[in-house]
Amino acid sequence: QIMILKIFKGVWFLSMLAVLVNLLFTYAGLPLDVVVNENGGSFISLGKDNFFYLAASLIAVINALVFVVNKFYGKEMDFRTWFYGLVICLNFFFVVALNFISLYNSGDEFDYSRIEYLIFGSTALFVIWALGWPVYSLYKKISIKEPV
């Protein structure tokens, strides 16, 4: 279990670096007004700097939660390993979302159906991983036999 936790820590660190590098590249290519949502012809947009600082803050807070979980759940290796995996899934989602926003704001003609499997896949990965802990906890409770 300790080795798996160490592997997850390494993968988390690499995923955090990947999302930060991706954020910087995305920021460099964005227009001054970044469209973040389109609803029936009306657009919701943010300034380029506001988008960057909002995304950087969200990424920083979510990745900092790893240290909070380590502090309060130091002895529960199973939970910590699961939480590292959850943050890895979120970082993967952030990379996909940032690339999608960058692509959408580039003005290029693109067939979005080619990447919808990545968008929905990253969301499904996060949901499945998030549901994994309650299922694992329930299985662990049921499988532990109490002495009579």
Side-chain angles (χ1 to χ4, degrees), residues 11-143:
V11 173
W12 163 75
F13 184 74
L14 292 175
S15 73
M16 182 183 61
L17 288 179
V19 75
L20 291 175
V21 167
N22 189 288
L23 177 63
L24 292 174
F25 276 113
T26 299
Y27 174 74
L30 288 175
L32 290 177
D33 288 323
V34 180
V35 176
V36 292
N37 191 4
E38 178 183 355
N39 191 6
S42 65
F43 299 102
I44 298 174
S45 63
L46 294 170
K48 180 179 180 177
D49 292 339
N50 290 337
F51 174 79
F52 174 78
Y53 289 121
L54 182 66
S57 299
L58 181 65
I59 291 166
V61 166
I62 287 174
N63 281 281
L65 287 175
V66 166
F67 299 108
V68 173
V69 166
N70 280 340
K71 176 77 173 167
F72 291 108
Y73 297 96
K75 297 196 188 310
E76 296 182 36
M77 276 200 210
D78 290 345
F79 181 74
R80 287 173 43 210
T81 303
W82 171 81
F83 194 78
Y84 272 104
L86 186 69
V87 175
I88 291 167
C89 291
L90 275 172
N91 284 340
F92 179 68
F93 174 76
F94 289 146
V95 168
V96 171
L98 287 169
N99 283 325
F100 178 73
I101 289 173
S102 175
L103 180 65
Y104 186 82
N105 283 279
S106 70
D108 294 339
E109 278 293 316
F110 189 78
D111 182 15
Y112 295 104
S113 65
R114 298 168 86 192
I115 62 167
E116 74 182 2
Y117 70 92
L118 271 176
I119 296 168
F120 293 120
S122 64
T123 306
L125 177 66
F126 171 73
V127 169
I128 290 168
W129 194 272
L131 293 175
W133 181 253
V135 169
Y136 174 76
S137 296
L138 186 62
Y139 170 76
K140 206 169 167 184
K141 273 187 179 178
I142 291 172
S143 67

